[in-house]
Amino acid sequence: MEVDPEPGADYTIQFFGTKKSAPEESGRLLEEVSGIKADFMLEADDMYVRAKIISSKPKENPYQLGDTEVAWTQPVVTN
């Protein structure tokens, strides 16, 4: 995955998922990468993975003071 960066913004890419062996730990953080490019290889034990992209750019209409722009991908599911 690669982010189309905006000038002056820093990015963190987080991968969240659920393991088949631990379904009670739904949506846990599996990996975190600083920068605009990251890869995540699904393993046999992964039910799904999705990425969260966090920008340092302040959100235009924040819910709370200090909120920054965030985007999520759709989940990728294993068979």
Side-chain angles (χ1 to χ4, degrees):
M1 117 162 312
E2 189 168 350
V3 175
D4 185 13
E6 291 192 31
D10 295 316
Y11 296 89
T12 300
I13 302 169
Q14 297 176 324
F15 294 96
F16 290 87
T18 299
K19 300 285 187 183
K20 294 174 186 172
S21 61
E24 68 282 354
E25 296 178 25
S26 177
R28 72 179 183 164
L29 180 62
L30 302 173
E31 188 175 330
E32 180 174 292
V33 177
S34 294
I36 62 167
K37 200 180 235 187
D39 292 315
F40 185 87
M41 186 68 73
L42 284 164
E43 299 174 359
D45 193 36
D46 293 326
M47 291 174 67
Y48 73 90
V49 69
R50 67 186 306 191
K52 178 182 182 182
I53 300 92
I54 304 166
S55 168
S56 64
K57 182 179 175 184
K59 199 170 185 179
E60 193 171 306
N61 187 17
Y63 176 74
Q64 290 183 302
L65 188 62
D67 281 350
T68 60
E69 291 186 347
V70 174
W72 286 88
T73 65
Q74 292 295 320
V76 175
V77 180
T78 61
N79 291 329

